[in-house]
Amino acid sequence: MTQGTERQMRVGIIPVTPLQQNCSLLWCTATMKGALVDPGGDLPKLRQALEKTGVQIEKILVTHGHLDHCGQAGVLAAELGVPIEGPHEDDRFWIAKLDDDGPRWNMEAHTFEPDRWLQDGDTVTVGELVLDVVHCPGHTPGHVVFHHAPSKFAMVGDVLFQNGIGRWDFPRGNLEDLLHSITHKLWPLGDDVTFVPGHGPVSTFGQERRTNPYVSDEAIARGVPA
């Protein structure tokens, strides 16, 4: 697990599923109440992390409807007796397919109904923390990002990666939407925002604006990708 540095929030990253998806355990240091973001699988690992940290989970947050991010969210929510918040309802069709998609990927995945669909501009609370919800379609139509402004920290799912961006060739994915989400929704949050992507290492928006071959300022000026 890795930990964030902001005084009131801590974040642990727990890779899960064969796709090594970055499930985040975030918690409020004042209350020790927390949330799991994108618990796609490997529930024993997640239970172990909760036991190690002593965090009391009060909700599950979901960025989008792909099975490596939420395939076992419903199972875990029922086990812990907590609600699920997210994603945006435009990803309902992905969540409805989880029971079918699991066997195709040789993974356990189950359909569920979120307790709360999220919209752009909503907020979610975790203990005394307040996170902003940013709707960022393109990888999937209902993808959302969770941003904690006081910590300058975001969990961006599969929208943006270190040196990469999310795939847009899935059903209802769209490259133009994805690029717009990154450059018009994420970049304005600030170059100094550290983000956890859905896969791979942590980076900052500033670093990606300088070096990302798809969405750096230079790449966007050139019109890359074609």
Side-chain angles (χ1 to χ4, degrees), residues 43-55:
L43 299 192
K45 288 178 67 173
L46 302 183
R47 296 187 194 104
Q48 184 179 32
L50 297 180
E51 183 177 352
K52 181 178 179 180
T53 59
V55 172

Side-chain angles (χ1 to χ4, degrees), residues 6 16 24 40 54 82 86 154 162 164 176:
E6 202 277 335
V16 296
S24 293
V82 299
Q162 184 184 84
E176 184 177 352

Side-chain angles (χ1 to χ4, degrees), residues 100-131:
D100 295 328
D101 285 346
R104 294 174 186 155
W105 289 84
N106 196 29
M107 292 165 55
E108 184 176 353
H110 301 287
T111 297
F112 62 93
E113 176 76 14
D115 296 271
R116 179 189 177 198
W117 297 103
L118 297 174
Q119 302 281 343
D120 190 66
D122 282 348
T123 59
V124 297
T125 59
V126 180
E128 297 177 359
L129 306 173
V130 179
L131 287 77

Side-chain angles (χ1 to χ4, degrees), residues 24 29-30 46 53-54 70 86 103 118 153 164 171 179 196:
S24 293
T29 58
L46 302 183
T53 59
C70 67
L118 297 174
F153 190 84
L179 297 178
V196 177

